[in-house]
């Protein structure tokens, strides 16, 4: 690829891996390119080693999905991650792959419940990249497709794999929860098992203080409802050799150091400082920075308790760990016999005794197990002594075996404790496994780890290639010829039988005399020329494998020892005979046939290969999701990014391999709109007027003669390098434009300088010339005076001489002239006579010829002019006919103008926000129409004049034959008419152009109307779907309310079977609780169903006749009330009718004085039934008016009849409570103290309880109405958060000038919200809802608008743009206009509720952001926003209109420091999102104070009153 001067490129650097540079020049052959880096350093490089760079991406702080990079290459990926990491955006997508960069600091605002709620159900890629998005995508895919999923988390040690796994499980716990009826928290136990596994499976390495030295696959099981029903943990390849051998500065497993640090257990097991034990003192690192071993030991113990490990087992576990440490301190020395060994000294004997005591086995048997081996033969058992080296190897083998069995027991115990769901058909597996490793010294562990990563990389490559295929399939492009290269050859080299590396290693381990030299020799003999296998130059035994991430050299010195996993029978027999049940359980007795030999061969590599194969089968049966964790620096510090380390991890993690696969196909993909926006200026000739993006993109590519590109349905796919050609051509066009601008600017500057210099020179010259002129004037004046004197003297002398000569000459001349004149006169006289004769003769000759020719010419001219006049007459007649066509065109245009005016008026009504602009536009159009009408009238007059002139010409033509002179004059007149006709044609052409312009405007208006109609249809469909969802939710809610009703009846009816004293006491307590609950009421959205709490006290009700009459009367009363509730009785003078009628009935029937609750139960149940069965939007507002009015009547007219006081007088012990209840200062029930002169009704407790239940009913209705409004408003707000895409403008790119903006009004979506608010107000006013409720409701609606828009703005990067800010600002202006029109009585503080979104939008649209300091932003621009919210907006902002930048880097750094400090101080306030307030914003007292008085007597009775005898008292005639 060739680079031109000024091209932006990436060049390789030894320290920074890649650095940004700019091309200065290239040599003639193109082999070397001279570059200058951003640091100013000049370098030379070959073009093949350079990668193109897009400077535009640096201004936006990186992209969220790296497949959208203009140049998908290694440095582009690296620096995109670096830019995002600088802004604390630690997550980035590469297609469906998530890359997570460890921030090394806490970011709790990214992982709270509110953030999980935002990502719940959101499509992958809609919101900012997050690990929750990947977890949600896997969960949704599992639920939708019914297929198990897997999430593969990989990365090097310290990259954050374990934390990422915890977050994934945390989100799955949030979205899946617990299965119904499950008493145990499965997910909690899985999370709590992590400290236990970390203590026994994690250790300090060179790169990480808490590195997992085993692979972990957590399988979370779900039931059919998507609830967590079980879990299982599988582990892979525990690093057993670390137990006995470590290198400085690494550590052994954490559990050893924790046990030594806990003094109580250390003394019990005769332990001390870790430096006293051989297995721990091989490294000098015993403590970790910021980690307390004692606290970690306590955490491990707590985790054991949670998992369910008994105290006895816990003691046995730590006893076993202590035994392993003592076992490591046993040393041997040569014995008396050949190749024998004995205990070295007393210290070693003490440690052996301690090990035997802790293992609870015989010390002599332990000694013989370590120093001898028994071999079973046909003749019998032979005991063989071991030398010192073999004894040490046996000791270490025993320690490794015990620890491995212990770790496997812990994992099995965790699985049993958590519980597996064997019936589960759906699982999500989370794989936390070690990443690719390449150190200075690589041994058997690195070989196995890299083998596992090769397997996973093959799976990863297949998944990436599959995703590429799906992308190509969706876009319907041809991809069959794309080559896919995998790493199967490496896997065959490692695992293929019978000559793979693993097979050869197992074969070598089975022979006792085999060494690593023989193994290496055999390996190189079988693979002499394998492309992936290499031999080191300076070593005969080391070999190198070219993995996908690079070449790794392995040292085979310890390969055979680490691969051998002999199970020594003596070891198993020793520990199986232990008196400790735990230890003996770890080593069950081996079968008899296996006891013939002391050794049972087992290969670590083969077992790991089997485990890996099982893991791959599990992964292949699931749908994979990938998370690649990256460690940004080796010092574990925040805000430090080491390029070399990160690029190595990207290679090891397969990210660059995925890039390679993408480069093999079509790495550059752009939507047609983006492609035309960027490269449309290359071919402006294809972009006149309206056009199709796809067609223009194809023409641009064809113009540049590019090949092998593909045009999909929505995107254009380019081969590697083609985007560079396009950018190069685009840069040339921009450079030419820049040169033109520079040329004009330089001309202007040079001209301005020249004019200034010229003015200065003219001024200087004027001064000099003035001075010289003064000098010359003085000299000339003196000279002139002398000359004047001389002149007069000389004049007198010469005049005197002249006069003498003159008189003499005059005399001589007069004589000579007289003679000459006479001679000339004679000659002239003769000449005139000859000329006169010749003239007469020539005149006669030519005159006769002229008369002959003139007669013939006149005849020819007359014939020709007659022919021309006829042609002219026909042409003029045709033009006269065309004038009539103009009249018809004019009438059509007038009709079209009338229709256009009508449609403009219609648009004026729809687009309220642009009313003034439209009026101005209409007035302009009307003026234009008048001008056109005037031009039409002028054209008519000109046509009439032309017709008259044609008639005159016809008459003149008939006379032209007779009179030639008259014909000439008429022809001159015809020429003048032709000129006038030409002028008329020009005016008609202009008129036609104006008419076509008006037609274009009319067509655009029709298109806008059609688009609006289509959007309205889409909204109607969405609304219908939402209504169906709301109905289904309401049905579920009603069923829950019925269940709640039954449970409350059971709960409240149980304690009524007590004596009267107990009843009075419980009644007073409940009453006081009811009063207290009203003062500390929480939001409740369902009204309690009343129950019969009060037994009947009045005697004499046993008479059957009276009971029957009472029942009939009660039935009649209930039927009347039921009809009043179910029918809409309407309103009178703005007051509801149903509430006063119900109140008057209750008052007349003495229901308030009754001790029964049946009538009150019936009223509340009737209202609930109407609310449940509502099929009209007016039901909730109607009953909000009636229930609030009824509550006010009860609040103002009821008072206690002394029920509680009487009870207190009869039964001592409750009087004090009753008095405190009645006279409590916070009681909402006004029993005494009325001063308004209203006659109050004596009410018993059931009536007071009815009033409380009615208050809850009002709150329920208000909550239901508010929730319904939010559900209807949510889809409208979803369409308003982002500006709609507009049509293409000329040039392929939207104009960045204010005049170039598409003048699309903010109507459309925002107009729908305004219409929604208008319909809400009309509905509330139509049902005469009090202004108090309207104000509260509108305020909460605007609060919901503020929260929804603000949260969406912070979660979607495409919304944080300048143009989107202008769009939202215009929409907020519409809302402000609505609030002003609604007035404060109904709108309240609604405008104040929009504070957050108003300030955020104001910040988006201000200019000169880089000049604003943090104090100015916090105090002047965004005082309501927190620093975290401002930081989020600043880092996500990008200017898509003017290309300006966000706030300065200094402000970003300052905000980052503030945010980091607040993270440590107050974690609960770290979320940058707003929470919705679901509380009820009023109380019964507020309603009583806000609603005006209601007179129950001023009502209109419904028509059905005469049908009920119980309601005849309402009729004023009968009263």
């Amino acid at each position: 690829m060739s680079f031109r001067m000024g091209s932006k490129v990436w060049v390789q650097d030894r320290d920074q891996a890649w650095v940004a540079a700019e091309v200065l020049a290239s040599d003639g052959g193109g082999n070397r390119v001279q570059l200058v880096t951003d640091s100013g350093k000049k370098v030379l490089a070959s073009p093949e080693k350079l990668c193109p760079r897009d400077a535009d991406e640096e201004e936006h702080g990186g992209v969220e999905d790296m497949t959208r990079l203009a140049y998908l290459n290694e440095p582009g990926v690296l620096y995109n991650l670096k830019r995002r990491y600088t802004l604390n955006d630690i997550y980035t997508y590469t297609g469906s792959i998530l890359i997570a960069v460890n921030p090394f600091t806490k970011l709790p605002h990214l992982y709270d419940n509110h953030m999980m709620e935002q990502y719940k159900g959101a499509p992958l890629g809609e919101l900012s990249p997050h690990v929750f998005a990947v977890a949600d995508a896997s969960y949704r895919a599992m639920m939708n497709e019914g297929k198990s999923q897997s999430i593969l988390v990989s990365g090097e040690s310290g990259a954050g794999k374990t934390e990422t796994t915890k977050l994934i499980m945390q989100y799955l716990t949030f979205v899946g929860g617990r299965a119904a009826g499950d008493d145990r928290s499965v997910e909690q136990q899985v999370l709590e098992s992590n400290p236990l596994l970390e203590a026994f499976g994690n250790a300090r390495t060179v790169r990480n203080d808490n590195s997992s030295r085993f692979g972990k696959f957590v399988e979370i099981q779900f039931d059919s409802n998507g609830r967590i029903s079980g879990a299982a943990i599988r582990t892979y390849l525990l690093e057993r050799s670390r137990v006995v051998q470590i290198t400085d500065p690494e550590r052994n497993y954490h559990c050893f150091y924790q046990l030594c640090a806990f003094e109580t257990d250390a003394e019990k097991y005769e332990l001390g400082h870790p430096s006293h034990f051989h297995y721990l003192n091989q490294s000098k690192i015993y403590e970790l920075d910021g980690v307390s071993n004692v606290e970690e030991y306590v955490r491990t113990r707590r985790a054991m308790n949670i998992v369910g490990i008994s105290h006895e087992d816990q003691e046995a576990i730590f006893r076993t760990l202590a035994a392993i440490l003592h076992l490591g301190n046993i040393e041997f020395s040569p014995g008396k016999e050949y190749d024998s060994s004995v205990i070295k000294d007393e210290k070693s004997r003490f440690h052996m005794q301690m090990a035997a005591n802790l293992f609870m086995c015989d010390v002599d048997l332990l000694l013989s197990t370590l120093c001898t081996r028994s071999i079973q033969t046909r003749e019998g058992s032979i005991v063989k002594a071991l030398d010192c080296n073999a004894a040490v190897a046996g000791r270490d083998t025993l320690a490794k075996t015990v620890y491995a069995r212990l770790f496997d027991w812990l994992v099995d115990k965790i699985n049993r404790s958590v519980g597996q769901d064997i019936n589960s058909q759906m699982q999500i597996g989370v794989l936390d496994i070690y990443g690719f490793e390449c150190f200075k010294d690589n041994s058997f562990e690195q070989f196995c780890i890299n083998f596992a990563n090769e397997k996973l990389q093959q799976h990863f490559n297949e998944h990436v290639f599959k995703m590429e295929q799906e992308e190509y399939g969706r876009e319907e492009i041809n991809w069959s010829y794309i080559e896919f290269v995998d790493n199967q050859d490496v896997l065959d080299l490692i695992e293929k039988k019978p000559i793979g590396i693993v097979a050869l290693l197992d074969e070598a381990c089975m022979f006792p005399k085999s060494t690593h030299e023989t193994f290496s020799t055999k390996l190189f003999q079988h693979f002499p020329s394998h492309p992936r296998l290499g031999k080191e130059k300076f070593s005969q035994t080391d070999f190198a494998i070219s993995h996908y991430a690079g070449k790794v050299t392995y040292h085979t010195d310890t390969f055979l020892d680490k691969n051998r996993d002999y199970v020594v029978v003596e070891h198993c027999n020793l520990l199986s005979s232990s008196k400790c049940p735990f230890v003996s359980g770890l080593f069950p007795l081996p079968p008899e046939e296996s006891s013939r030999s002391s050794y049972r061969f087992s290969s670590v590599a083969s077992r790991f290969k089997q485990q890996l194969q099982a893991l791959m089968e599990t992964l292949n049966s699931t749908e994979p999701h990938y998370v690649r964790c990256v460690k940004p620096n080796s010092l574990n510090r925040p805000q430090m990014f080491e390029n070399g380390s990160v690029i190595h991890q990207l290679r090891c993690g397969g990210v660059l391999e995925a890039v390679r696969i993408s480069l093999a196909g079509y790495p550059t993909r752009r939507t047609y709109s983006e492609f035309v926006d960027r490269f449309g200026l290359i071919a402006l000739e294809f972009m006149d007027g309206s056009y199709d993006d796809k067609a223009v993109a194809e023409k641009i590519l064809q113009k540049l003669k590019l090949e092998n590109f593909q045009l999909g349905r929505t995107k254009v796919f380019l081969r590697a390098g083609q985007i560079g050609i396009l950018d190069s051509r685009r840069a040339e066009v921009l450079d030419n434009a820049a040169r033109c601008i520079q040329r004009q600017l330089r001309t202007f500057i040079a001209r301005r300088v020249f004019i200034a210099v010229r003015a200065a020179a003219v001024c200087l010259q004027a001064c000099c010339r003035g001075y010289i002129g003064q000098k010359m004037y003085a000299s000339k004046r003196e000279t002139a005076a002398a000359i004047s004197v001389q002149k007069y003297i000389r004049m007198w002398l010469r005049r005197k001489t002249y006069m003498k000569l003159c008189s003499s000459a005059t005399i001589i001349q007069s004589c000579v002239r007289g003679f000459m004149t006479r001679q000339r006169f004679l000659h002239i006289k003769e000449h005139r006579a000859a000329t006169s004769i010749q003239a007469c003769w020539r005149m006669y000759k030519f005159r006769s010829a002229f008369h002959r020719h003139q007669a013939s010419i006149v005849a020819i001219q007359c014939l020709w002019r007659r022919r021309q006049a006829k042609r002219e007459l026909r042409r003029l007649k045709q033009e006269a006919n065309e004038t009539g066509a103009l009249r018809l065109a004019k009438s059509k245009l007038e009709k079209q103008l009338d229709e256009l005016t009508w449609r403009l008026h219609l648009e004026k009504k729809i687009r309220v926000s642009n009313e003034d602009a439209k009026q101005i536009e209409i007035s302009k159009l009307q003026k234009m129409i008048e001008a056109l009408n005037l031009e039409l009238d002028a054209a008519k007059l000109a046509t009439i004049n032309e017709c008259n002139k044609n008639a005159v010409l016809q008459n003149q033509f008939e006379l032209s034959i007779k009179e030639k002179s008259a014909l000439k004059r008429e022809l001159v007149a015809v020429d003048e008419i032709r000129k006038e006709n030409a002028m008329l044609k020009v005016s008609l052409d202009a008129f036609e152009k104006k008419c076509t312009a008006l037609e274009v405007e009319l067509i655009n208006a029709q298109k806008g109307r059609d688009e609006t109609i289509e959007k309205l249809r889409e909204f109607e469909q969405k609304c219908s779907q939402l209504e169906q969802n709301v109905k289904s939710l309401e049905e579920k809610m009603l069923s829950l309310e019925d269940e709640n009703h039954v449970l409350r009846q059971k709960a409240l009816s149980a304690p009524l079977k007590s004596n009267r004293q107990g009843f009075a006491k419980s009644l007073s307590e409940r009453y006081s609780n009811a009063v207290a609950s009203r003062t500390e009421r929480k939001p409740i959205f369902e009204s309690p169903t009343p129950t019969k709490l009060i037994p009947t006290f009045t005697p004499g009700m046993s008479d059957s006749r009276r009971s029957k009459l009472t029942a009939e009367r009660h039935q009649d009363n209930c039927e009347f009330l039921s009809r009043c509730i179910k029918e809409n009785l309407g309103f009178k003078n703005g007051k509801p009718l149903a509430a006063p009628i119900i109140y008057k009935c209750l008052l007349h029937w003495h229901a308030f004085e009754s001790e029964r609750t049946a009538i009150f139960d019936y009223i509340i149940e009737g209202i609930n039934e109407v609310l449940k069965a509502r099929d009209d939007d007016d039901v909730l507002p109607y009953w909000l008016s009636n229930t609030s009015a009824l509550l006010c009547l009860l609040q103002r007219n009821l008072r206690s009849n002394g029920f509680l006081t009487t009870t207190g007088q009869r039964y001592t012990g409750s009087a004090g409570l009753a008095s405190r209840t009645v006279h409590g200062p916070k009681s909402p029930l006004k029993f005494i103290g009325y001063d308004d002169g209203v006659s109050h009704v004596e009410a018993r407790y059931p009536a007071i309880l009815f009033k409380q239940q009615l208050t809850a009913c009002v709150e329920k209705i208000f909550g239901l109405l508010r929730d319904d409004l939010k559900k209807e408003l949510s889809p409208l707000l979803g369409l308003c958060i982002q500006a709609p895409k507009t049509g293409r403008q000329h040039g392929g790119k939207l104009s960045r000038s204010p005049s170039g903006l598409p003048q699309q009004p903010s109507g459309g979506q925002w107009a729908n919200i305004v219409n929604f608010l208008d319909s809400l107000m009309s509905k509330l006013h139509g049902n005469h809802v009090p202004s108090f409720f309207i104000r509260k409701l509108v305020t909460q609606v605007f609060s919901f608008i503020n929260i929804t828009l603000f949260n969406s703005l912070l979660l979607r990067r495409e919304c944080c743009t300048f143009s989107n800010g202008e769009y939202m600002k215009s929409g907020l202006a519409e809302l402000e206009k609505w609030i002003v029109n609604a007035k404060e009585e109904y709108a309240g503080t609604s405008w104040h509720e929009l504070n957050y979104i108003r300030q955020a939008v104001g910040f988006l649209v201000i200019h000169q952001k880089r000049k604003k300091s943090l104090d100015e932003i916090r105090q002047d621009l965004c005082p309501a926003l927190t620093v975290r919210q401002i930081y989020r907006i600043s880092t996500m902002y990008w200017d898509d209109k003017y290309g300006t930048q966000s706030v300065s880097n200094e402000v970003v750094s300052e905000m980052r420091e503030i945010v980091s400090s607040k993270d440590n101080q107050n974690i609960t306030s770290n979320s940058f999102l707003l929470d919705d307030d679901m509380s009820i914003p009023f109380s019964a007292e507020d309603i009583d104070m806000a609603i005006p008085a209601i007179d129950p007597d001023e009502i209109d009775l419904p028509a059905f009153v005469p049908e009920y005898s119980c309601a005849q008292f309402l009729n004023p005639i009968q009263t």
Side-chain angles (χ1 to χ4, degrees), residues 39 268 321 395 490 496 552 555 562 602 618 626 702 721 832 895 1049 1055 1186 1269 1365 1401 1465:
S39 60
K268 184 193 304 183
L321 293 178
R395 178 200 67 187
V490 179
K496 190 175 182 180
V552 181
H555 302 300
K562 292 182 178 180
S602 176
T618 302
Y626 292 93
Q702 291 175 352
R832 284 182 179 176
K895 291 180 181 179
Q1049 283 184 342
N1186 280 281
L1269 294 176
V1401 170
Q1465 296 173 3

Side-chain angles (χ1 to χ4, degrees), residues 98-109:
L98 180 69
I99 299 176
V101 185
N102 194 341
F104 290 116
T105 185
K106 293 183 178 180
L107 301 174
H109 65 282

